[in-house]
Amino acid sequence: MTEVKDSATPWVAKHTREYVESHGKRGHKWHGVRTLVLTTTGRKSGDKRRNALIYGTDGGDYLVVASKGGNKSHPLWYLNLVADPDVHVQVGAEKFDATARVASREEKQRLWPTMAKIWPEYDRYQARTNRDIPVIVLEPT
């Protein structure tokens, strides 16, 4: 993989670097939950961008939430994967390519409780924004 840029948010960048450098030994568990590293392609720059994100699973797929802490705007990684759904994922030491897609309204109704059980703050984030916070499905290719 070509050189990548980590999140512009310092604590996320640090978490992501530690995760990748330790092959998932440090960072897979974060505050009692599991995280993965998602690498997207910048929709404007074309640069590879990576972020550590809390995840859940649904069958063989991985789920992440584009919450940005309940901010009124979507996270940049979400905008990137909407523009280019071909992504790279690291879960622990395992690395694979995947296709990202936004869960449909019906899927989100089913998947949101799974993610809110993992990270209850998601419900609070949704309550404080007018933005519909998307659930993203990562389908390994």
Side-chain angles (χ1 to χ4, degrees):
M1 184 180 289
T2 59
E3 181 182 353
V4 296
K5 296 180 179 179
D6 293 324
S7 172
T9 304
W11 70 266
V12 177
K14 182 177 187 245
H15 177 190
T16 302
R17 279 192 307 275
E18 288 177 354
Y19 193 119
V20 171
E21 290 169 0
S22 71
H23 304 285
K25 290 181 181 153
R26 289 189 321 274
H28 184 236
K29 286 284 193 171
W30 176 80
H31 293 276
V33 297
R34 301 176 302 168
T35 65
L36 57 72
V37 173
L38 176 67
T39 304
T40 61
T41 302
R43 69 196 180 290
K44 295 179 181 177
S45 67
D47 292 338
K48 298 294 182 187
R49 307 274 184 176
R50 66 186 178 193
N51 288 275
L53 302 167
I54 296 167
Y55 75 92
T57 57
D58 182 52
D61 297 333
Y62 293 86
L63 309 171
V64 293
V65 176
S67 68
K68 198 176 179 183
N71 191 286
K72 66 181 178 180
S73 63
H74 291 299
L76 296 178
W77 62 261
Y78 168 78
L79 300 174
N80 289 342
L81 66 77
V82 167
D84 181 353
D86 295 328
V87 298
H88 187 76
V89 181
Q90 180 175 344
V91 179
E94 181 185 8
K95 299 175 185 179
F96 55 90
D97 293 323
T99 302
R101 63 179 180 79
V102 178
S104 69
R105 183 174 304 275
E106 294 77 22
E107 284 178 301
K108 182 181 175 186
Q109 287 177 343
R110 180 176 64 80
L111 299 173
W112 184 268
T114 298
M115 295 307 296
K117 184 176 180 183
I118 293 167
W119 192 252
E121 285 295 311
Y122 289 141
D123 284 331
R124 288 184 272 285
Y125 298 163
Q126 185 59 81
R128 72 174 171 231
T129 185
N130 292 326
R131 174 174 67 90
D132 183 39
I133 296 177
V135 174
I136 309 306
V137 180
L138 305 172
E139 301 172 331
T141 56

